[in-house]
Amino acid sequence: MKALFLDRDGVVIEYIPYLSKPEQVKIPENAPFALQQWQNQGYRLVIVTNQSGISRGYFTLEEVRAIHEQLMAEYASFDVYFTDILICPHQPSDNCLCRKPSPFLIKTYAENNGIDLSQSYFIGDAPSDIECAINAKCQPVLLLTGRGRETLTHLSQYSLSIPVFEQMKDTISLLKTFAEK
């Protein structure tokens, strides 16, 4: 089984630092179409998100769940369904195991759900997303949305080839590339 791991803020929804209300959820244009293509090719759609605002007291886990319910409802209207949403509620100073770039959430999810990480991708916009994918041994993909343009300036530090795309709809070209391998 394969998965498409996705960062939340700046990838699945528009980037708003410490987004805290369901009405702030905005779906990027053409993202539902792209995610539907991935889903149709047998990829489980799994969001992996650091939400340090919980630990910092900016919002509660219940408020984050309400945001996720809104996000899932909006995507469901396009027949796009997320299998899971993996959350790290900690801030960096908490020194937890689950905060990206740690691969803990992805590896644990893969082990518990029979996911082949070598057949999976992680689409993100931040260095922590790229490093999480590398650490988990799945293919990192950089989107130039959200914080992606800033992250692009640091891409040369990684020893492997990382595909870069302007927006989510462009990532569906990876489905053709992967099918040809």
Side-chain angles (χ1 to χ4, degrees), residues 22-34:
E23 56 270 17
Q24 293 175 297
V25 169
K26 185 167 187 256
I27 305 297
E29 186 179 351
N30 297 314
F33 166 77

Side-chain angles (χ1 to χ4, degrees), residues 159-176:
S159 60
L160 72 156
S161 176
I162 300 170
V164 178
F165 297 98
E166 282 288 331
Q167 47 189 310
M168 185 68 77
K169 70 174 179 149
D170 303 325
T171 67
I172 60 174
S173 67
L174 292 170
L175 294 169
K176 295 178 189 104

Side-chain angles (χ1 to χ4, degrees), residues 14 39 53 65 67 87 96 137 150-152 166 177 181:
E14 297 289 336
Q39 183 178 268
R65 287 188 178 129
I67 290 164
I87 303 169
C96 67
K137 298 190 177 17
E150 167 66 23
T151 302
L152 183 62
E166 282 288 331
T177 304
K181 287 184 179 179

Side-chain angles (χ1 to χ4, degrees), residues 16-82:
I16 296 175
Y18 299 107
L19 180 138
S20 60
K21 296 178 179 28
E23 56 270 17
Q24 293 175 297
V25 169
K26 185 167 187 256
I27 305 297
E29 186 179 351
N30 297 314
F33 166 77
L35 293 178
Q36 191 176 63
Q37 302 306 307
W38 284 93
Q39 183 178 268
N40 291 346
Q41 291 298 314
Y43 286 85
R44 280 185 171 203
L45 305 181
V46 181
I47 296 172
V48 184
T49 183
N50 288 343
Q51 292 299 316
S52 69
I54 297 169
S55 175
R56 297 174 199 269
Y58 298 164
F59 41 78
T60 66
L61 183 57
E62 290 72 29
E63 289 169 316
V64 170
R65 287 188 178 129
I67 290 164
H68 292 165
E69 286 173 17
Q70 177 69 30
L71 178 161
M72 290 188 296
E74 289 193 30
Y75 273 100
S77 71
F78 295 98
D79 291 324
V80 172
Y81 303 98
F82 296 95

